Amino acid sequence: MDGKTANVEIESKKEVPAEALAAARHELGEHNGINMSIEASNTFTFKDSDAMNRAFLGEVGPKTGIYIYSRHLNPTTLNLGRQIAAMEGTETAYCTASGMSAISSVFLQLCNTGGHVVAAKTIYGGTHAMLTHFLPQKCNITTTFVDIVDLEEVDKAMIEGKTSVLYFEPISNPTLIVANIPELSKIAHAKGVKVVVDNTFSPMILSPAKLGADVVVHSISKYISGEADIIAGAVCGPADIVDQMRDLHGGPLMFLGPTMNPKLAFEISGRIPHLSMRMKKHCKRAMKYVTKMKELDPNLDVLYPGLKEHPQHSLLKSMSNKDYGFGGVFCIDMKTEGRACRLMDKLQNNTKFGFMGVSFGYYETLMTCSSRSTNSMMDSKEKESAGISPGLVRFSVGYVGTFEQKWSQFTRAYSEM
Ligand SMILES: *Cc1c(COP(=O)(O)O)cnc(C)c1O
């Protein structure tokens, strides 16, 4: 894999903003086309039988333009991987068919049977369920869930020689708790534990690898795709981990086979260049909405790390890349499920402010009452301990339309509450 080349570039560009790094990986197409070419072959030929044998022995590979089979590596998908690695500031990256396949493959690479994971208790529901049920049952890999802001608790939960992964999301969803990536990385590394961060919520805003994380995983299905039309993911990290993951003879990516189709990789590659602009738009709009909402109703509970009263406001500010802001998701607490639902119904069906829907990163605003949707399987005690109040409405802020138009749609619905 061409990881070494990317590494040289990144090493000398430590202070360069994420968007500059992402742009640095532009690849021209085969006939000098300004876009990368699509290599639609799933199998590749060799100049002679000796070359074929050397490819299987790993003596030649992508660096010398040699490919074997697209479940292993495909040039177009690899190009997208280079773009995403550049964006995250990691040596290399592998693109997968979904965020979940990226995440599960990382666990299976870094943990063996009998292994142990320490994970934040507020993480994506699919990941939480995999760690709680699937990995213990199928692989005897167990997890201790911790309050990620309690560094002492995290430290105590990691068992030297047994724990191999510390896993968290830098901004948790929907509670918007911010994790201290540099401190958590220090604590984990002192015990020989690898830090794996799911950066789906904050691409471009945060660069976890530059802050100490070993591996960064993404669901491309959200912000990176930006159109709510694609399911895809990526694993970003050092070559010694990522290359092992797609090793012909032992890598989980080879055996589980969550490969990304090169036609899809091509499509995603064209969205990376404007991800930076989109993220800035999402962040700016979210900040504007929460500011106006606090003015509109000073008693309204608004949850957003961009607000000075948010407990980790200055922490997030200290970690985030310049000019990005605090993310595109905020929550308001309508106190009861009834009021939360009434507000969402009005916002969607009366004033056309946004759509009810899970997921985030779309150009229109998406709304969900977490306690009645994504977190409905938790009992009321679990919800309370996770900070999910019954009336919590999560907004994934879109950027289309003028702010004035959208704000008037919001205030019309809110005034009828
Ligand atoms: C959606 C999501 C995932 C899962 O990604 P898929 O692409 O749906 O498999 C993982 N982590 C986070 C934070 C997500 O939001």
Side-chain angles (χ1 to χ4, degrees):
M1 192 154 198
D2 195 13
K4 291 271 175 340
T5 326
N7 191 33
V8 172
E9 280 204 6
I10 287 157
E11 210 88 273
S12 58
K13 289 178 180 170
K14 273 233 155 70
E15 301 310 318
V16 176
E19 60 260 49
L21 287 174
R25 292 307 319 199
H26 190 95
E27 302 273 344
L28 288 180
E30 204 182 351
H31 307 286
N32 285 327
I34 54 170
N35 288 312
M36 67 162 79
S37 295
I38 304 177
E39 176 50 76
S41 304
N42 71 3
T43 196
F44 299 83
T45 188
F46 304 89
K47 85 176 187 316
D48 53 37
S49 57
D50 184 51
M52 187 171 188
N53 182 240
R54 291 180 65 207
F56 275 85
L57 293 173
E59 292 171 10
V60 291
K63 258 188 253 177
T64 41
I66 309 288
Y67 294 86
I68 300 172
Y69 186 61
S70 284
R71 171 154 48 76
H72 179 234
L73 279 175
N74 170 283
T76 309
T77 310
L78 181 58
N79 270 348
L80 177 66
R82 289 192 187 116
Q83 262 181 299
I84 291 180
M87 174 183 95
E88 282 298 346
T90 59
E91 198 175 353
T92 187
Y94 187 96
C95 296
T96 57
S98 67
M100 280 314 294
S101 62
I103 296 166
S104 55
S105 302
V106 169
F107 283 121
L108 291 176
Q109 175 64 29
L110 297 178
C111 306
N112 291 324
T113 177
H116 182 244
V117 173
V118 172
K121 63 182 172 193
T122 46
I123 49 173
Y124 179 70
T127 313
H128 195 277
M130 173 172 62
L131 291 169
T132 308
H133 307 292
F134 188 83
L135 287 178
Q137 280 165 18
K138 301 288 181 187
C139 315
N140 190 25
I141 296 166
T142 54
T143 296
T144 304
F145 290 99
V146 292
D147 175 359
I148 204 69
V149 298
D150 186 341
L151 299 178
E152 210 172 308
E153 186 185 341
V154 177
D155 189 25
K156 278 198 186 124
M158 288 185 289
I159 310 155
E160 209 161 346
K162 182 171 163 75
T163 309
S164 51
V165 174
L166 173 64
Y167 184 90
F168 60 89
E169 296 169 11
I171 306 175
S172 76
N173 176 21
T175 47
L176 309 180
I177 292 164
V178 181
N180 190 333
I181 305 171
E183 282 304 313
L184 288 162
S185 301
K186 259 186 234 159
I187 297 170
H189 292 155
K191 290 193 170 171
V193 172
K194 295 272 189 255
V195 177
V196 180
V197 173
D198 180 342
N199 201 27
T200 302
F201 214 73
S202 41
M204 314 293 301
I205 301 173
L206 289 169
S207 305
K210 291 187 192 166
L211 298 168
D214 298 287
V215 176
V216 180
V217 287
H218 271 290
S219 166
I220 289 175
S221 323
K222 317 293 167 52
Y223 285 115
I224 298 178
S225 95
E227 293 181 34
D229 59 339
I230 282 170
I231 299 287
V235 179
C236 317
D240 66 351
I241 295 177
V242 180
D243 288 359
Q244 282 295 313
M245 290 181 66
R246 55 154 189 80
D247 182 78
L248 279 172
H249 309 291
L253 291 166
M254 270 311 280
F255 300 140
L256 301 175
T259 318
M260 180 186 284
N261 185 312
K263 292 168 193 165
L264 187 62
F266 170 79
E267 194 161 321
I268 295 165
S269 78
R271 302 185 192 188
I272 308 281
H274 47 74
L275 176 62
S276 152
M277 285 189 287
R278 289 187 279 116
M279 292 314 293
K280 284 179 180 169
K281 279 267 195 193
H282 284 293
C283 293
K284 211 168 157 186
R285 259 254 166 129
M287 192 68 214
K288 217 163 164 181
Y289 278 131
V290 299
T291 309
K292 293 286 270 185
M293 281 177 192
K294 300 277 300 173
E295 284 169 20
L296 178 72
D297 181 356
N299 293 322
L300 180 66
D301 270 335
V302 184
L303 186 58
Y304 185 62
L307 291 169
K308 287 209 171 60
E309 61 263 34
H310 186 283
Q312 291 101 31
H313 170 75
S314 43
L315 170 63
L316 182 53
K317 204 168 171 180
S318 75
M319 292 193 300
S320 55
N321 289 320
K322 209 169 147 276
D323 301 329
Y324 277 91
F326 300 88
V329 172
F330 68 87
C331 300
I332 61 177
D333 191 351
M334 297 302 290
K335 303 297 173 200
T336 65
E337 281 189 1
R339 292 188 77 231
C341 292
R342 207 143 32 94
L343 179 64
M344 288 196 304
D345 284 333
K346 283 181 195 296
L347 286 170
Q348 175 177 284
N349 300 330
N350 299 7
T351 71
K352 317 273 182 242
F353 173 78
F355 298 109
M356 274 177 263
V358 293
S359 195
F360 50 86
Y362 190 47
Y363 51 77
E364 291 273 8
T365 295
L366 297 175
M367 307 171 289
T368 162
C369 172
S370 307
S371 126
R372 289 200 66 184
S373 57
T374 44
N375 301 89
S376 55
M377 65 290 182
M378 290 175 154
D379 62 34
S380 54
K381 248 212 174 103
E382 284 174 316
K383 282 180 197 166
E384 199 184 311
S385 112
I388 298 160
S389 74
L392 200 71
V393 182
R394 186 189 78 176
F395 293 84
S396 164
V397 174
Y399 51 76
V400 291
T402 67
F403 181 80
E404 290 67 30
Q405 169 198 15
K406 287 285 153 192
W407 181 242
S408 99
Q409 288 169 332
F410 182 84
T411 49
R412 263 190 291 141
Y414 194 75
S415 67
E416 289 169 19
M417 290 303 295

